[in-house]
């Protein structure tokens, strides 16, 4: 009996065509995270990027399956498979990546603290009136929050921390923040990775400046020179150091032997009479000392027109 052929859902077939067309049409791509991002914010972002880029969301299992199949013809897609984790999506473009990244991440909407949500930042409740009636004092007492009744309303006495960064929001903290009508968190689209030219790298690379790249290059050059010198293996990085060491050895050899070199004349003269090289600085120092002595003498002679001698004697 023949095995029945599996029929794909038309929506999956449409998504496959869309993804393959984007991979063929666009040369650059941003991998984004849309945790806690609402549909309204996504719609506004799509409208903002219309004509400049295309946002594509989908199930990770479907995306991995398509990329594994397409990487046979394009091995560079293998690096993209490693970042298909979590609630992610793609933004395809042929424009400037930094400008696109700024457009995507500039919108951040306020959101309430929900139970079980990982707090992206610490949340503090400042002292002052809450606007709640005195009948809800027991709620604050259960949370060990000092309060007082002022003008018929509950007032918090001291500053209280309700949420800690990186920890989950408790039910009591979420309830209190909801009563106070506070929306302490701000969520938006985050750019995680960049896929360009067949390589996938962190989005932090987009923030690197020319100075940062030069510092990294110089640091690598120093490491290469140290490695070459340690292994006694000549390289372009170690040649200046090898030449400098060779010149120092030649100068030392010329000083210790009768074989004279022109480059060692100044060093031999210094070793023969070190005081001769300090003469040039001597008169200037002496003149400065004499000038200071003369100024001090003039100040002592100038008594400001007053006679401090004892006339009674």
């Amino acid at each position: 009996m023949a095995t029945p052929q599996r029929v794909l859902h038309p929506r999956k077939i449409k998504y496959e065509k869309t993804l393959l067309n984007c991979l063929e049409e666009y040369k650059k791509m941003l991998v984004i995270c849309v945790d806690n991002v609402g549909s309204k914010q996504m719609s506004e972002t799509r409208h903002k990027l219309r004509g400049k880029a295309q946002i594509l969301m989908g199930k990770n299992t479907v995306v991995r399956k398509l990329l594994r199949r397409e990487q046979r013809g394009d091995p560079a897609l293998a690096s993209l498979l490693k970042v298909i984790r979590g609630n992610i999506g793609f933004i395809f473009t042929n424009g400037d990546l930094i400008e696109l990244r700024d457009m995507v991440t500039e919108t951040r909407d306020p959101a309430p603290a929900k139970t079980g949500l990982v707090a992206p930042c610490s949340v503090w409740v400042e002292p002052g009136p809450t606007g709640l009636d005195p009948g809800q004092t027991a709620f604050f007492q259960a949370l060990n929050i000092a309060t007082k009744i002022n003008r018929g309303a509950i007032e918090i006495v001291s500053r209280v921390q309700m949420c800690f960064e990186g920890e989950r929001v408790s039910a009591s903290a979420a309830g209190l923040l909801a009563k106070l009508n506070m929306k302490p968190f701000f969520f938006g689209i985050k750019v995680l990775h960049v896929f360009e030219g067949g390589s996938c790298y962190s989005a932090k690379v987009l923030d690197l400046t020319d100075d940062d790249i030069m510092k990294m290059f110089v640091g690598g050059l120093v490491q290469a020179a140290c490695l070459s010198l340690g292994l006694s293996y000549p390289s372009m990085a170690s040649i200046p150091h090898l030449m400098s060491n060779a010149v120092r050895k030649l100068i030392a050899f010329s000083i210790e032997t009768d074989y004279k070199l022109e480059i060692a004349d100044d060093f031999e003269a210094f070793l023969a009479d070190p005081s001769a090289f300090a003469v040039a600085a001597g008169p200037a120092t002496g003149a400065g000392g004499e000038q200071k002595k003369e100024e001090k003498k003039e100040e002592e002679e100038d008594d400001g027109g007053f006679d401090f001698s004892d006339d009674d004697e």
Side-chain angles (χ1 to χ4, degrees):
M1 183 176 179
T3 304
Q5 188 176 4
R6 185 179 180 182
V7 180
L8 295 177
H9 194 280
R11 185 174 57 185
K12 291 185 177 180
I13 298 176
K14 182 180 179 181
Y15 181 82
E16 177 182 353
K17 292 181 179 179
T18 304
L19 179 59
L20 296 180
N21 290 336
C22 289
L23 291 174
E24 182 179 357
E25 180 181 357
Y26 298 99
K27 305 301 180 183
K28 305 174 185 178
M29 177 174 54
L30 298 178
V31 181
I32 60 175
C33 176
V34 292
D35 287 340
N36 304 303
V37 178
S39 58
K40 181 180 179 182
Q41 185 176 353
M42 287 295 299
S43 177
E44 293 175 352
T45 304
R46 289 180 185 273
H47 181 74
K48 188 189 304 182
L49 299 181
R50 189 171 298 171
K52 300 179 181 179
Q54 181 174 350
I55 300 179
L56 183 63
M57 309 296 296
K59 290 186 177 180
N60 293 350
T61 53
V62 177
V63 174
R64 291 195 197 99
K65 183 178 180 180
L66 294 176
L67 291 180
R68 288 194 185 100
R69 189 188 67 187
E70 294 299 321
Q71 74 175 352
R72 300 171 185 172
D74 187 4
L77 294 176
S79 61
L80 191 59
L81 279 169
K82 301 177 182 179
V83 301
I84 309 300
R85 298 287 186 276
N87 192 12
I88 57 98
F90 307 109
I91 300 181
F92 297 90
T93 183
N94 286 326
D96 184 68
L97 290 174
I98 298 178
E99 180 181 356
L100 179 62
R101 188 272 311 270
D102 295 339
M103 291 178 61
V104 170
T105 58
E106 66 181 0
T107 304
R108 294 171 58 85
D109 293 341
K114 298 180 180 180
T115 304
L117 181 68
V118 178
C121 61
S122 300
V123 179
W124 295 81
V125 176
E126 301 296 335
T130 62
L132 301 176
D133 59 273
Q136 303 187 43
T137 306
F139 184 81
F140 290 90
Q141 292 177 350
L143 297 176
N144 294 325
I145 299 177
T147 60
K148 65 179 182 179
I149 306 301
N150 186 14
R151 297 182 180 180
I154 299 175
E155 181 176 335
I156 298 177
V157 177
S158 59
R159 194 168 183 248
V160 182
Q161 185 173 7
M162 299 304 303
C163 301
F164 296 87
E165 183 178 359
E167 298 183 4
R168 295 189 179 276
V169 180
S170 62
S172 57
L176 177 60
L177 294 175
K179 288 179 178 293
L180 298 178
N181 197 24
M182 291 180 60
K183 294 183 178 181
F185 301 144
F186 290 86
F187 295 112
I189 299 176
K190 300 178 182 178
V191 179
L192 302 179
H193 303 279
V194 179
F195 183 79
E196 180 184 13
S199 61
C200 186
Y201 52 89
S202 174
K204 296 179 181 179
V205 177
L206 298 177
D207 296 324
L208 293 177
T209 62
D210 294 340
D211 294 337
D212 297 331
I213 296 175
M214 183 58 65
K215 289 180 181 178
M216 297 172 64
F217 175 76
V218 172
L221 193 62
V222 171
Q223 294 294 331
C226 294
L227 183 62
S228 299
L229 292 174
L231 297 176
S232 299
Y233 183 82
S235 64
M236 293 297 295
S238 64
I239 284 178
H241 303 280
L242 294 175
M243 294 297 295
S244 177
N245 293 336
V247 170
R248 289 205 304 269
K249 292 180 180 179
L250 287 174
I251 293 174
F253 177 79
S254 175
I255 293 174
E256 294 295 331
T257 62
D258 295 333
Y259 189 83
K260 304 302 179 183
L261 294 175
E262 182 179 355
I263 194 174
D265 291 343
D266 294 338
F267 297 92
E268 291 183 359
F270 176 78
L271 293 175
D273 186 12
S275 60
F277 290 83
V279 173
T285 305
E290 293 178 0
Q291 184 177 0
K292 290 181 179 179
K293 289 181 180 180
E294 292 179 357
E295 292 178 356
K296 187 175 180 180
K297 185 176 180 181
E298 291 178 358
E299 291 177 357
E300 292 177 354
E301 292 178 354
D302 185 9
D303 56 4
F306 295 95
D307 186 6
F308 295 99
S309 59
D310 192 354
D311 295 338
D312 295 336
E313 298 178 358

